[in-house]
């Protein structure tokens, strides 16, 4: 049953995110709007689009959430494997389970490390440029 639902959710999510699906929705809305004068813009005419869009939205929320959950787990697993097999710090494996406060602290630590790396890189580039100019100046003399 789970595989069937996963397959169904993936298929529907893929199809509903396609240009033809969007075009069909536009056609339905335009047809509904064009039918307004014929039905005298009645409450029933309005109820048709409201009910239809509410039902579709309600069902799509569950399908999209299922697809996003599965994609998130797959992506997280891939990232964890990359961390595990690289020189990255293993403490990053499974951080999606941390509290918001813990994630914010870890993010701040990573930002600080990134700023240090950028400063070191900029210092090295400046030094290379300075040495390059010194070498060019010495060669022309």
């Amino acid at each position: 049953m789970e595989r069937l639902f996963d397959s169904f959710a993936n298929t529907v999510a893929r199809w509903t995110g396609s240009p033809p699906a969007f075009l069909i929705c536009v056609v339905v809305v335009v047809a509904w709007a064009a039918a307004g004068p014929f039905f005298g813009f009645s409450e029933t005419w309005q109820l048709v689009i409201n009910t239809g869009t509410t039902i579709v939205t309600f069902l799509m929320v569950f399908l999209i959430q299922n697809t996003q959950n599965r994609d998130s787990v797959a992506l997280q697993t891939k990232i964890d494997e990359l961390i595990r097999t690289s020189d990255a710090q293993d403490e990053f494996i499974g951080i999606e389970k941390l509290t918001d406060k813990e994630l914010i602290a870890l993010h701040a630590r990573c930002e600080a490390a990134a700023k240090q790396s950028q400063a070191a890189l900029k210092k090295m580039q400046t030094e290379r440029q300075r040495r390059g100019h010194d070498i060019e100046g010495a060669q022309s003399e």
Side-chain angles (χ1 to χ4, degrees), residues 5-6 10 18 22 29-30 34 54 63 65 67 77-79 81 83 86 88 90 93-94 96 98 116 128 133:
F5 180 74
D6 287 347
N10 275 334
S18 70
F22 177 76
V29 170
V30 168
T54 299
L63 290 175
Q65 189 62 53
T67 303
T77 302
K78 291 174 185 179
I79 291 170
E81 180 63 10
I83 292 170
S86 72
D90 287 345
I93 293 177
E96 68 278 3
L98 296 177
Q116 284 179 339
R128 283 183 178 167
H133 290 303

mmCIF file of all heavy atoms in Angstrom, residues 5-6 10 18 22 29-30 34 54 63 65 67 77-79 81 83 86 88 90 93-94 96 98 116 128 133:
data_model
loop_
_atom_site.group_PDB
_atom_site.id
_atom_site.type_symbol
_atom_site.label_atom_id
_atom_site.label_comp_id
_atom_site.label_asym_id
_atom_site.label_seq_id
_atom_site.Cartn_x
_atom_site.Cartn_y
_atom_site.Cartn_z
ATOM 1 N N PHE A 5 1.033 4.208 -2.804
ATOM 2 C CA PHE A 5 0.789 5.622 -2.521
ATOM 3 C C PHE A 5 1.991 6.479 -2.926
ATOM 4 O O PHE A 5 1.815 7.549 -3.509
ATOM 5 C CB PHE A 5 0.474 5.841 -1.032
ATOM 6 C CG PHE A 5 0.217 7.291 -0.713
ATOM 7 C CD1 PHE A 5 -0.974 7.895 -1.093
ATOM 8 C CD2 PHE A 5 1.171 8.049 -0.067
ATOM 9 C CE1 PHE A 5 -1.205 9.240 -0.826
ATOM 10 C CE2 PHE A 5 0.951 9.383 0.207
ATOM 11 C CZ PHE A 5 -0.248 9.978 -0.168
ATOM 12 N N ASP A 6 3.203 6.014 -2.627
ATOM 13 C CA ASP A 6 4.405 6.756 -3.014
ATOM 14 C C ASP A 6 4.463 6.949 -4.525
ATOM 15 O O ASP A 6 4.750 8.039 -5.013
ATOM 16 C CB ASP A 6 5.670 6.036 -2.537
ATOM 17 C CG ASP A 6 5.878 6.151 -1.042
ATOM 18 O OD1 ASP A 6 5.203 6.979 -0.395
ATOM 19 O OD2 ASP A 6 6.712 5.391 -0.511
ATOM 20 N N ASN A 10 4.113 10.574 -6.321
ATOM 21 C CA ASN A 10 5.164 11.059 -7.219
ATOM 22 C C ASN A 10 4.618 11.390 -8.596
ATOM 23 O O ASN A 10 4.959 12.408 -9.185
ATOM 24 C CB ASN A 10 6.285 10.025 -7.355
ATOM 25 C CG ASN A 10 7.301 10.129 -6.252
ATOM 26 O OD1 ASN A 10 7.485 11.180 -5.661
ATOM 27 N ND2 ASN A 10 7.958 9.029 -5.959
ATOM 28 N N SER A 18 3.498 20.276 -14.063
ATOM 29 C CA SER A 18 3.885 20.405 -15.472
ATOM 30 C C SER A 18 3.123 21.546 -16.156
ATOM 31 O O SER A 18 2.037 21.941 -15.719
ATOM 32 C CB SER A 18 3.592 19.097 -16.214
ATOM 33 O OG SER A 18 2.196 18.912 -16.336
ATOM 34 N N PHE A 22 -0.899 23.144 -15.719
ATOM 35 C CA PHE A 22 -1.182 24.551 -15.481
ATOM 36 C C PHE A 22 -2.127 25.090 -16.544
ATOM 37 O O PHE A 22 -3.075 25.817 -16.238
ATOM 38 C CB PHE A 22 0.121 25.356 -15.478
ATOM 39 C CG PHE A 22 -0.110 26.830 -15.307
ATOM 40 C CD1 PHE A 22 -0.429 27.360 -14.071
ATOM 41 C CD2 PHE A 22 -0.004 27.684 -16.390
ATOM 42 C CE1 PHE A 22 -0.649 28.716 -13.911
ATOM 43 C CE2 PHE A 22 -0.228 29.038 -16.248
ATOM 44 C CZ PHE A 22 -0.548 29.563 -15.008
ATOM 45 N N VAL A 29 -10.503 27.725 -15.302
ATOM 46 C CA VAL A 29 -10.872 29.001 -14.679
ATOM 47 C C VAL A 29 -11.476 29.952 -15.715
ATOM 48 O O VAL A 29 -12.479 30.627 -15.435
ATOM 49 C CB VAL A 29 -9.643 29.637 -13.977
ATOM 50 C CG1 VAL A 29 -9.943 31.064 -13.543
ATOM 51 C CG2 VAL A 29 -9.229 28.794 -12.785
ATOM 52 N N VAL A 30 -10.900 30.007 -16.901
ATOM 53 C CA VAL A 30 -11.446 30.878 -17.951
ATOM 54 C C VAL A 30 -12.846 30.409 -18.349
ATOM 55 O O VAL A 30 -13.764 31.226 -18.508
ATOM 56 C CB VAL A 30 -10.493 30.937 -19.172
ATOM 57 C CG1 VAL A 30 -11.163 31.586 -20.372
ATOM 58 C CG2 VAL A 30 -9.215 31.677 -18.801
ATOM 59 N N ALA A 34 -16.170 32.561 -17.944
ATOM 60 C CA ALA A 34 -17.005 32.822 -19.117
ATOM 61 C C ALA A 34 -18.433 32.347 -18.903
ATOM 62 O O ALA A 34 -19.376 32.916 -19.463
ATOM 63 C CB ALA A 34 -16.399 32.141 -20.346
ATOM 64 N N THR A 54 -11.122 24.075 -3.424
ATOM 65 C CA THR A 54 -10.874 23.677 -2.032
ATOM 66 C C THR A 54 -10.537 22.194 -1.943
ATOM 67 O O THR A 54 -9.585 21.800 -1.252
ATOM 68 C CB THR A 54 -12.092 23.998 -1.148
ATOM 69 O OG1 THR A 54 -12.329 25.410 -1.187
ATOM 70 C CG2 THR A 54 -11.861 23.563 0.280
ATOM 71 N N LEU A 63 -0.387 15.220 -0.883
ATOM 72 C CA LEU A 63 0.504 14.653 -1.899
ATOM 73 C C LEU A 63 1.831 15.399 -1.962
ATOM 74 O O LEU A 63 2.901 14.783 -2.014
ATOM 75 C CB LEU A 63 -0.173 14.682 -3.274
ATOM 76 C CG LEU A 63 -1.347 13.731 -3.455
ATOM 77 C CD1 LEU A 63 -1.998 13.946 -4.814
ATOM 78 C CD2 LEU A 63 -0.906 12.294 -3.302
ATOM 79 N N GLN A 65 3.168 17.224 0.440
ATOM 80 C CA GLN A 65 3.907 16.998 1.686
ATOM 81 C C GLN A 65 4.601 15.640 1.668
ATOM 82 O O GLN A 65 5.749 15.506 2.085
ATOM 83 C CB GLN A 65 2.966 17.094 2.896
ATOM 84 C CG GLN A 65 3.696 17.096 4.217
ATOM 85 C CD GLN A 65 4.618 18.293 4.351
ATOM 86 O OE1 GLN A 65 4.206 19.421 4.182
ATOM 87 N NE2 GLN A 65 5.881 18.042 4.666
ATOM 88 N N THR A 67 5.614 13.962 -0.968
ATOM 89 C CA THR A 67 6.728 14.046 -1.907
ATOM 90 C C THR A 67 7.889 14.829 -1.310
ATOM 91 O O THR A 67 9.047 14.414 -1.425
ATOM 92 C CB THR A 67 6.258 14.708 -3.223
ATOM 93 O OG1 THR A 67 5.164 13.952 -3.745
ATOM 94 C CG2 THR A 67 7.360 14.752 -4.250
ATOM 95 N N THR A 77 19.986 11.964 3.418
ATOM 96 C CA THR A 77 20.775 10.730 3.427
ATOM 97 C C THR A 77 21.998 10.867 2.522
ATOM 98 O O THR A 77 23.102 10.447 2.881
ATOM 99 C CB THR A 77 19.905 9.541 2.990
ATOM 100 O OG1 THR A 77 18.779 9.452 3.878
ATOM 101 C CG2 THR A 77 20.665 8.240 3.020
ATOM 102 N N LYS A 78 21.813 11.470 1.355
ATOM 103 C CA LYS A 78 22.934 11.686 0.443
ATOM 104 C C LYS A 78 23.975 12.611 1.064
ATOM 105 O O LYS A 78 25.182 12.353 0.986
ATOM 106 C CB LYS A 78 22.436 12.280 -0.883
ATOM 107 C CG LYS A 78 21.618 11.314 -1.706
ATOM 108 C CD LYS A 78 21.038 12.011 -2.913
ATOM 109 C CE LYS A 78 20.116 11.097 -3.689
ATOM 110 N NZ LYS A 78 19.532 11.760 -4.862
ATOM 111 N N ILE A 79 23.517 13.680 1.677
ATOM 112 C CA ILE A 79 24.442 14.623 2.310
ATOM 113 C C ILE A 79 25.189 13.943 3.452
ATOM 114 O O ILE A 79 26.408 14.111 3.595
ATOM 115 C CB ILE A 79 23.690 15.881 2.796
ATOM 116 C CG1 ILE A 79 23.202 16.683 1.591
ATOM 117 C CG2 ILE A 79 24.581 16.728 3.691
ATOM 118 C CD1 ILE A 79 22.255 17.806 1.948
ATOM 119 N N GLU A 81 25.910 10.853 3.743
ATOM 120 C CA GLU A 81 26.893 9.926 3.172
ATOM 121 C C GLU A 81 28.114 10.688 2.659
ATOM 122 O O GLU A 81 29.250 10.239 2.835
ATOM 123 C CB GLU A 81 26.261 9.095 2.049
ATOM 124 C CG GLU A 81 27.206 8.113 1.392
ATOM 125 C CD GLU A 81 27.744 7.035 2.330
ATOM 126 O OE1 GLU A 81 27.255 6.893 3.477
ATOM 127 O OE2 GLU A 81 28.674 6.317 1.910
ATOM 128 N N ILE A 83 29.211 13.524 3.843
ATOM 129 C CA ILE A 83 29.940 13.950 5.043
ATOM 130 C C ILE A 83 30.721 12.779 5.615
ATOM 131 O O ILE A 83 31.895 12.902 5.952
ATOM 132 C CB ILE A 83 28.970 14.523 6.101
ATOM 133 C CG1 ILE A 83 28.365 15.844 5.616
ATOM 134 C CG2 ILE A 83 29.672 14.714 7.445
ATOM 135 C CD1 ILE A 83 27.219 16.350 6.471
ATOM 136 N N SER A 86 33.859 11.925 3.589
ATOM 137 C CA SER A 86 34.800 13.001 3.273
ATOM 138 C C SER A 86 35.550 13.427 4.531
ATOM 139 O O SER A 86 35.416 12.821 5.588
ATOM 140 C CB SER A 86 34.037 14.197 2.690
ATOM 141 O OG SER A 86 33.288 14.837 3.706
ATOM 142 N N ALA A 88 34.896 16.145 5.988
ATOM 143 C CA ALA A 88 34.017 17.043 6.740
ATOM 144 C C ALA A 88 33.819 16.507 8.158
ATOM 145 O O ALA A 88 34.053 15.331 8.439
ATOM 146 C CB ALA A 88 32.659 17.157 6.038
ATOM 147 N N ASP A 90 32.092 14.948 11.157
ATOM 148 C CA ASP A 90 30.985 14.010 11.303
ATOM 149 C C ASP A 90 29.849 14.545 12.164
ATOM 150 O O ASP A 90 28.733 14.046 12.104
ATOM 151 C CB ASP A 90 31.481 12.683 11.904
ATOM 152 C CG ASP A 90 32.281 11.870 10.902
ATOM 153 O OD1 ASP A 90 32.217 12.186 9.704
ATOM 154 O OD2 ASP A 90 32.966 10.925 11.331
ATOM 155 N N ILE A 93 26.411 15.196 10.579
ATOM 156 C CA ILE A 93 25.478 14.133 10.203
ATOM 157 C C ILE A 93 24.295 14.168 11.168
ATOM 158 O O ILE A 93 24.464 14.133 12.379
ATOM 159 C CB ILE A 93 26.162 12.751 10.229
ATOM 160 C CG1 ILE A 93 27.216 12.666 9.136
ATOM 161 C CG2 ILE A 93 25.130 11.631 10.084
ATOM 162 C CD1 ILE A 93 27.999 11.367 9.115
ATOM 163 N N GLY A 94 23.099 14.245 10.619
ATOM 164 C CA GLY A 94 21.885 14.205 11.426
ATOM 165 C C GLY A 94 21.506 15.515 12.091
ATOM 166 O O GLY A 94 20.669 15.525 12.991
ATOM 167 N N GLU A 96 19.622 17.731 11.152
ATOM 168 C CA GLU A 96 18.220 18.096 10.946
ATOM 169 C C GLU A 96 17.359 17.749 12.154
ATOM 170 O O GLU A 96 16.239 18.227 12.289
ATOM 171 C CB GLU A 96 17.657 17.434 9.678
ATOM 172 C CG GLU A 96 17.514 15.932 9.742
ATOM 173 C CD GLU A 96 18.806 15.172 9.455
ATOM 174 O OE1 GLU A 96 19.866 15.785 9.258
ATOM 175 O OE2 GLU A 96 18.737 13.934 9.428
ATOM 176 N N LEU A 98 18.345 18.447 15.277
ATOM 177 C CA LEU A 98 18.664 19.379 16.350
ATOM 178 C C LEU A 98 17.516 20.356 16.577
ATOM 179 O O LEU A 98 16.674 20.556 15.706
ATOM 180 C CB LEU A 98 19.934 20.170 16.008
ATOM 181 C CG LEU A 98 21.232 19.383 15.867
ATOM 182 C CD1 LEU A 98 22.369 20.315 15.464
ATOM 183 C CD2 LEU A 98 21.572 18.659 17.155
ATOM 184 N N GLN A 116 36.380 33.487 8.433
ATOM 185 C CA GLN A 116 37.821 33.303 8.643
ATOM 186 C C GLN A 116 38.476 32.781 7.364
ATOM 187 O O GLN A 116 39.548 33.240 6.979
ATOM 188 C CB GLN A 116 38.084 32.332 9.802
ATOM 189 C CG GLN A 116 37.862 32.924 11.163
ATOM 190 C CD GLN A 116 38.108 31.900 12.268
ATOM 191 O OE1 GLN A 116 38.066 30.689 12.037
ATOM 192 N NE2 GLN A 116 38.342 32.392 13.469
ATOM 193 N N ARG A 128 49.782 37.368 -2.935
ATOM 194 C CA ARG A 128 50.202 36.900 -4.266
ATOM 195 C C ARG A 128 50.290 38.063 -5.253
ATOM 196 O O ARG A 128 51.219 38.136 -6.057
ATOM 197 C CB ARG A 128 49.242 35.836 -4.796
ATOM 198 C CG ARG A 128 49.436 34.492 -4.173
ATOM 199 C CD ARG A 128 48.509 33.468 -4.800
ATOM 200 N NE ARG A 128 48.730 32.158 -4.224
ATOM 201 C CZ ARG A 128 47.920 31.141 -4.384
ATOM 202 N NH1 ARG A 128 46.834 31.265 -5.126
ATOM 203 N NH2 ARG A 128 48.180 29.989 -3.824
ATOM 204 N N HIS A 133 53.536 41.761 -8.325
ATOM 205 C CA HIS A 133 53.962 43.101 -8.724
ATOM 206 C C HIS A 133 55.442 43.303 -8.424
ATOM 207 O O HIS A 133 56.148 43.922 -9.203
ATOM 208 C CB HIS A 133 53.122 44.174 -8.020
ATOM 209 C CG HIS A 133 51.708 44.221 -8.503
ATOM 210 N ND1 HIS A 133 51.383 44.413 -9.823
ATOM 211 C CD2 HIS A 133 50.530 44.099 -7.843
ATOM 212 C CE1 HIS A 133 50.070 44.409 -9.961
ATOM 213 N NE2 HIS A 133 49.524 44.222 -8.769
#
